[in-house]
Amino acid sequence: MEKRLEILKRQFVWIALAMMLMQFSIARISSAFAYDAGSVVINEIAWAGTTDESNDEWIELYNNTRETIDLSGWSIDDDNGSSIYTIASGEIAPYGYFLIADSEAALKNVSANAVIGLSLANTGDSLVLKNAVGAIVDTVNGSGGAWYAGNNTGKASMERMDPLEKPDSASNWTTATSGNGATGRSGTPVLGTPGSVNSAFSGASVKISLEGNEAQFVKRITGGGTVCHGKDLTFSLLVKKEIRFF
């Protein structure tokens, strides 16, 4: 009887270990495939470099999700494999940006999240963003023709207008019209917005409403500005009558 119990105990332990291993494997597979097309997008491309140095190219990624995403092993395929830019390690925050620069010195006052030797042709490249298992997450300029926007004279970057628009479309890209304070290696202002909302952003707007008979809500916006998808919006509410929240 004791021998039987011992055998049963051992079998139970092996079954429990097998189930734990299966759960771990499933979790890893789910993690690898959790990010669908458009979850992270190529959001801005400085294919002409900066006024200070034409080789100081950079690419900005944007996270459309509410989760922190590990970009380790992700890559950007340039012109069907003529160049592959692999991210060794790094995470992109929810609704955040991830900056890939050709050199640590490319931007004087903005730190890159990854430094990778970039080689973007001024005549145009196709760029394909892939996750760690090689699945395509985003494509820009898939035909490989001339860049959709940006210019080589003023070194203006090429900006995505709406990061939630998934299809690879020239109509969703335009040339940067202003900067965010970033400067090139010698201190000259960059015509682009590395690490922040694009100057041409035209994504979803914010709508606030309060309904009910017990209160009237008046929204007043002064000074202008942009609130990006997924970001916090702070406002004040003056309550003139008691409101019960359940």
Side-chain angles (χ1 to χ4, degrees), residues 43-46 58-61 97 99 107 110 155-160 176-182 190-201:
N43 197 52
E44 189 172 7
I45 306 165
W58 48 269
I59 298 173
E60 176 193 86
L61 305 180
Y97 303 87
L99 188 63
L107 298 168
V110 178
K155 306 297 183 182
S157 70
M158 169 174 147
E159 291 187 332
R160 196 175 196 130
T177 56
S178 62
N180 62 352
V190 168
L191 191 50
T193 55
S196 68
V197 62
N198 290 344
S199 64
F201 175 78

Side-chain angles (χ1 to χ4, degrees), residues 1-220:
M1 185 68 177
E2 290 182 2
K3 197 170 184 180
R4 277 187 172 182
L5 286 172
E6 186 64 29
I7 292 170
L8 287 171
K9 284 180 182 178
R10 287 181 182 178
Q11 288 178 339
F12 177 79
V13 169
W14 281 112
I15 291 170
L17 286 171
M19 289 179 68
M20 288 174 64
L21 286 171
M22 285 177 64
Q23 289 176 347
F24 178 72
S25 299
I26 291 170
R28 289 192 66 182
I29 292 170
S30 299
S31 175
F33 288 93
Y35 308 113
D36 299 325
S39 56
V40 177
V41 296
I42 298 171
N43 197 52
E44 189 172 7
I45 306 165
W47 54 262
T50 69
T51 302
D52 290 340
E53 174 54 64
S54 60
N55 289 324
D56 284 343
E57 301 164 339
W58 48 269
I59 298 173
E60 176 193 86
L61 305 180
Y62 178 73
N63 182 356
N64 274 317
T65 78
R66 64 182 67 187
E67 299 177 2
T68 297
I69 297 178
D70 184 1
L71 297 181
S72 301
W74 286 47
S75 63
I76 296 176
D77 190 321
D78 183 347
D79 266 354
N80 298 313
S82 63
S83 296
I84 297 177
Y85 313 125
T86 303
I87 300 170
S89 63
E91 294 181 338
I92 184 168
Y95 308 112
Y97 303 87
F98 189 92
L99 188 63
I100 302 169
D102 179 75
S103 163
E104 289 184 4
L107 298 168
K108 190 173 183 179
N109 59 347
V110 178
S111 298
N113 300 102
V115 177
I116 303 172
L118 303 175
S119 181
L120 305 175
N122 287 354
T123 53
D125 285 345
S126 66
L127 299 177
V128 179
L129 176 65
K130 297 180 180 180
N131 64 18
V133 295
I136 295 175
V137 181
D138 189 36
T139 301
V140 175
N141 201 33
S143 65
W147 294 108
Y148 295 149
N151 64 59
N152 193 30
T153 51
K155 306 297 183 182
S157 70
M158 169 174 147
E159 291 187 332
R160 196 175 196 130
M161 297 165 67
D162 185 354
L164 289 175
E165 187 177 320
K166 292 182 182 179
D168 178 19
S169 172
S171 63
N172 194 34
W173 291 85
T174 191
T175 301
T177 56
S178 62
N180 62 352
T183 61
R185 62 173 59 219
S186 299
T188 304
V190 168
L191 191 50
T193 55
S196 68
V197 62
N198 290 344
S199 64
F201 175 78
S202 62
S205 59
V206 176
K207 181 180 180 181
I208 303 171
S209 62
L210 181 65
E211 298 177 356
N213 297 325
E214 295 192 12
Q216 289 185 341
F217 178 60
V218 179
K219 180 181 70 173
R220 180 178 298 171

